[in-house]
Amino acid sequence: MKTSYYRRIERFKDTCIRGILFSSALCSILITAAIVFVLFYESIPFFKSVSFKQFLFDKQWTPLFSDAHYGILPLICGTFLTTLIALILAIPLGTIMAIYLSEYASHKFRETLKPLLELLSAVPTVIYGYFALLFVTPLLQTILPSLSGFNVLGAGLTMGIMIIPYVSSLSEDAMHAVPMPLREGSYAMGATHFQTAIRVVIPAAFSGITSSYILAISRAIGETMVVAIAAGMQPNLTLNPLEPAQTLTAYIVQVSLGDLPHGTLGYQTIFVCGLTLFFITLCFNIVGHSLRKKFREVY
Amino acid sequence: MSLAALVRRNKQYDFWFSVISIMCVLFSLLALTTLLLDLALEGIPRLSLNFLISFPSRFADKAGILSAWVGTFWVMFITAFISIPLGILSGLYLEEYAPKNKLTQFIEINISNLSAVPSIIFGLMALGIFVHSLHLGQSLLTAGLTLSLLILPIIIVATREAVRAIPTSIREASYALGATQWQTVKHHILPYSFGGIATGVIIALSRAIGETAPLITVGALTFIAFLPHSFMDPFTVLPIQLFNWISRPQAEFHVNAAGAGVILLTLTLLMNAVAIIIRYRVRKKITW
């Protein structure tokens, strides 16, 4: 009698707890729904007063001036330029280190170096901003005296250092997961470490390497504090990395620091920028997902 | 080309590649040490008891980080209070309970997408929902909620990995003795995965402590000369104070920024070190 009673209570508890666990798992869906809802809800009134054509093709972004222009191009250009510079530094460096750690280095060396490299991405981004503005830019100015105090180059390079671990660690994980017999086959044919890495390991780990690149790209596109501190605050439609420029994220910071009343067109612009940013990162993730699927090797 | 020459050439490639890689490694480590040294050399001389117990001021030499570190403490407290239970419970559900169906798959894809969403977008979401719809104001509570949602995916993923590492035989042994699923989870799964979960939680919190952008969008104040009395009070945190000082043109404020940076970085690195130590210990101890 007592045991069955006890069991019934335990069963009931089990059902309740399953419900609690399920509802907390649903939270993540709620978060996504909230993000999409807020971005669209605040952006729709904006597109009622500004046409899509003006938004996409106007070459100026001056929503807070009396002569307001709402062309998103300068901000997108700034975002892509800083991202590009960061990737030019991080992808080769990260990939080379990943190959080295996975194919050449001893176990002990790898286990020591990986956490050290990961520290690079643990440093708060606002400290990278400090570093970009007060160390990297003055350093670059000794080589390029015409460089302005706020510039895309310094911010981009600093961001590149910041995202190295995303490339190196995740690519290394992917390469490390390639089964040993594949390598042994290659060595048995007389291939060197380098040939094996390039011809066997990289193609086999390609899908994992791609996802590490995609993650690095989304980090760079969404990175805020480094560019807000070191790249300047003027929207600037330029491909010259020596000039200051503003990114989508830096614009959101600039407006948030001011005191724009809720419901004005200027206030809505930050949500429009957020929506654009969300859309760009989503595109990269979808491309990454399909690339991963296409090149996945199953052993 | 003769075979010997070919072999020699390939060996040379191999050699040069390892030289280049070592240079890349050295460059990265050099960047890390330069960053740490630059900050330490500028910031450590500025540290003093007065710096810790003074409010911000428009005179650089009198300014301190009292309201900033107290704010960071409370925001982290709220963040931990919300995100740890929510993250662990979601992780447990997905790994232990969830049936393999479309909904579960959707939740999984959703979580991996959320971790790629830029942090500033979480800030915009919080501005729309917490500040303007729920009227929580630009408060400590809003900041804590924002950061907990931001780090939720990290905790979920860490929990799932830690739970997945436990062999099925342990669960089967528990069920065989008549335990319910929750009893199994409570007495076996949670204690055994504790190390892995703790590592993930600490890493996630160390992310949150340095986050600046989402807190700027929800309206952190940069100048606060009082300490909060309730969770509904306006707030500032260390990274915000740091950002404010960097954006000023005067070099004296940059020194203050370096001082605050040393403290923020020390906290972050300490948390990471603790996480690494726990991970290492757990790995050593467990033999299934």
Side-chain angles (χ1 to χ4, degrees):
Chain A
M1 175 62 204
K2 194 155 180 278
T3 357
S4 82
Y5 174 69
Y6 178 72
R7 275 199 72 86
R8 221 176 304 146
I9 288 193
E10 282 302 324
R11 286 246 177 89
F12 178 68
K13 235 165 74 186
D14 204 48
T15 324
C16 290
I17 283 162
R18 174 185 276 269
I20 295 173
L21 292 183
F22 178 66
S23 38
S24 38
L26 277 185
C27 268
S28 73
I29 293 187
L30 273 183
I31 298 172
T32 313
I35 288 176
V36 174
F37 171 76
V38 167
L39 292 181
F40 275 100
Y41 180 78
E42 298 281 357
S43 300
I44 287 168
F46 173 83
F47 285 112
K48 278 185 184 146
S49 38
V50 177
S51 70
F52 257 117
K53 199 177 142 222
Q54 196 192 349
F55 179 67
L56 290 179
F57 297 110
D58 198 322
K59 289 196 176 65
Q60 276 181 305
W61 176 260
T62 53
L64 307 178
F65 293 4
S66 50
D67 173 30
H69 285 272
Y70 299 96
I72 196 77
L73 272 182
L75 296 185
I76 292 190
C77 175
T79 300
F80 276 115
L81 198 57
T82 44
T83 304
L84 188 72
I85 294 170
L87 293 181
I88 288 176
L89 180 71
I91 287 202
L93 219 64
T95 314
I96 290 175
M97 284 197 287
I99 297 175
Y100 184 76
L101 287 181
S102 155
E103 303 302 312
Y104 287 74
S106 67
H107 177 77
K108 205 172 166 192
F109 186 69
R110 178 173 54 233
E111 292 300 306
T112 333
L113 197 67
K114 260 183 105 176
L116 271 180
L117 285 179
E118 278 161 18
L119 278 188
L120 277 175
S121 67
V123 174
T125 56
V126 65
I127 291 180
Y128 272 109
Y130 173 92
F131 190 58
L133 182 69
L134 299 176
F135 187 86
V136 177
T137 298
L139 189 70
L140 290 172
Q141 273 169 335
T142 59
I143 309 165
L144 305 158
S146 63
L147 194 68
S148 68
F150 298 105
N151 62 80
V152 173
L153 187 63
L157 288 178
T158 313
M159 226 155 76
I161 295 173
M162 192 177 89
I163 59 175
I164 286 175
Y166 290 103
V167 181
S168 68
S169 268
L170 296 175
S171 298
E172 202 271 332
D173 288 341
M175 291 180 199
H176 201 68
V178 172
M180 211 50 197
L182 283 186
R183 288 193 194 92
E184 282 160 356
S186 168
Y187 295 144
M189 304 288 282
T192 59
H193 279 291
F194 183 61
Q195 286 171 315
T196 310
I198 298 291
R199 303 271 176 82
V200 177
V201 178
I202 290 186
F206 192 76
S207 95
I209 298 176
T210 321
S211 24
S212 81
Y213 289 178
I214 295 286
L215 186 69
I217 294 174
S218 347
R219 280 274 164 245
I221 290 177
E223 171 44 42
T224 311
M225 295 323 293
V226 176
V227 284
I229 292 170
M233 284 291 189
Q234 302 104 313
N236 186 355
L237 188 60
T238 174
L239 289 175
N240 181 358
L242 304 183
E243 288 179 24
Q246 192 171 39
T247 63
L248 288 163
T249 49
Y251 174 76
I252 300 176
V253 165
Q254 187 194 13
V255 173
S256 304
L257 285 174
D259 215 9
L260 273 183
H262 179 208
T264 57
L265 202 59
Y267 171 86
Q268 285 153 3
T269 53
I270 62 174
F271 289 92
V272 174
C273 286
L275 186 64
T276 316
L277 193 64
F278 188 67
F279 185 70
I280 295 173
T281 46
L282 193 69
C283 283
F284 272 105
N285 277 311
I286 292 172
V287 170
H289 192 73
S290 54
L291 276 179
R292 263 206 307 277
K293 257 192 162 162
K294 199 170 160 194
F295 292 103
R296 168 161 298 157
E297 308 258 337
V298 183
Y299 301 106
Chain B
M1 199 187 288
S2 75
L3 190 61
L6 191 70
V7 168
R8 207 172 322 126
R9 200 192 61 184
N10 280 333
K11 280 197 173 159
Q12 262 171 7
Y13 281 169
D14 214 32
F15 172 72
W16 284 114
F17 180 77
S18 54
V19 170
I20 293 173
S21 326
I22 289 286
M23 274 159 56
C24 290
V25 170
L26 286 181
F27 172 81
S28 309
L29 293 182
L30 185 72
L32 182 65
T33 32
T34 318
L35 171 75
L36 299 181
L37 274 183
D38 178 47
L39 197 70
L41 289 179
E42 276 284 305
I44 288 180
R46 181 68 184 84
L47 295 182
S48 64
L49 188 62
N50 263 334
F51 188 60
L52 290 178
I53 57 165
S54 308
F55 286 111
S57 152
R58 57 202 173 84
F59 303 107
D61 52 342
K62 284 187 188 151
I65 54 168
L66 180 63
S67 49
W69 72 256
V70 173
T72 289
F73 176 79
W74 283 117
V75 169
M76 291 311 291
F77 178 76
I78 300 172
T79 306
F81 190 76
I82 299 168
S83 65
I84 294 175
L86 208 55
I88 294 180
L89 293 181
S90 318
L92 277 179
Y93 176 79
L94 289 174
E95 204 56 40
E96 287 292 310
Y97 286 78
K100 292 266 167 287
N101 59 17
K102 282 264 154 63
L103 180 64
T104 311
Q105 215 180 4
F106 181 64
I107 297 179
E108 282 172 6
I109 292 175
N110 186 42
I111 288 170
S112 70
N113 278 341
L114 265 188
S115 51
V117 170
S119 63
I120 196 162
I121 288 184
F122 279 88
L124 289 177
M125 185 269 276
L127 178 65
I129 302 280
F130 300 136
V131 178
H132 290 307
S133 303
L134 299 178
H135 299 289
L136 295 180
Q138 306 181 324
S139 60
L140 282 171
L141 184 61
T142 308
L145 279 168
T146 312
L147 292 185
S148 24
L149 300 188
L150 182 69
I151 62 171
L152 196 59
I154 309 180
I155 299 184
I156 296 179
V157 171
T159 306
R160 295 190 61 179
E161 275 172 10
V163 169
R164 199 178 305 149
I166 299 173
T168 326
S169 53
I170 294 206
R171 296 181 185 89
E172 282 162 357
S174 170
Y175 294 140
L177 291 172
T180 60
Q181 196 159 17
W182 173 243
Q183 286 170 327
T184 310
V185 168
K186 196 170 91 183
H187 296 298
H188 301 281
I189 306 294
L190 273 181
Y192 302 156
S193 59
F194 178 77
I197 296 178
T199 312
V201 164
I202 296 171
I203 295 278
L205 289 177
S206 83
R207 256 294 296 283
I209 205 173
E211 270 302 339
T212 323
L215 297 184
I216 293 179
T217 55
V218 299
L221 295 184
T222 47
F223 189 94
I224 286 198
F226 56 87
L227 292 181
H229 295 293
S230 80
F231 286 165
M232 303 309 284
D233 281 348
F235 70 100
T236 187
V237 287
L238 271 174
I240 301 277
Q241 187 65 62
L242 185 54
F243 173 58
N244 175 257
W245 279 334
I246 300 172
S247 2
R248 297 195 188 197
Q250 303 93 329
E252 303 89 68
F253 280 107
H254 293 166
V255 178
N256 282 357
V262 169
I263 293 185
L264 182 63
L265 196 61
T266 313
L267 288 175
T268 318
L269 295 186
L270 267 182
M271 290 167 100
N272 275 280
V274 170
I276 292 174
I277 291 170
I278 294 181
R279 188 189 306 171
Y280 184 71
R281 287 223 164 155
V282 169
R283 234 188 238 171
K284 249 176 129 179
K285 219 169 66 183
I286 290 182
T287 40
W288 298 117

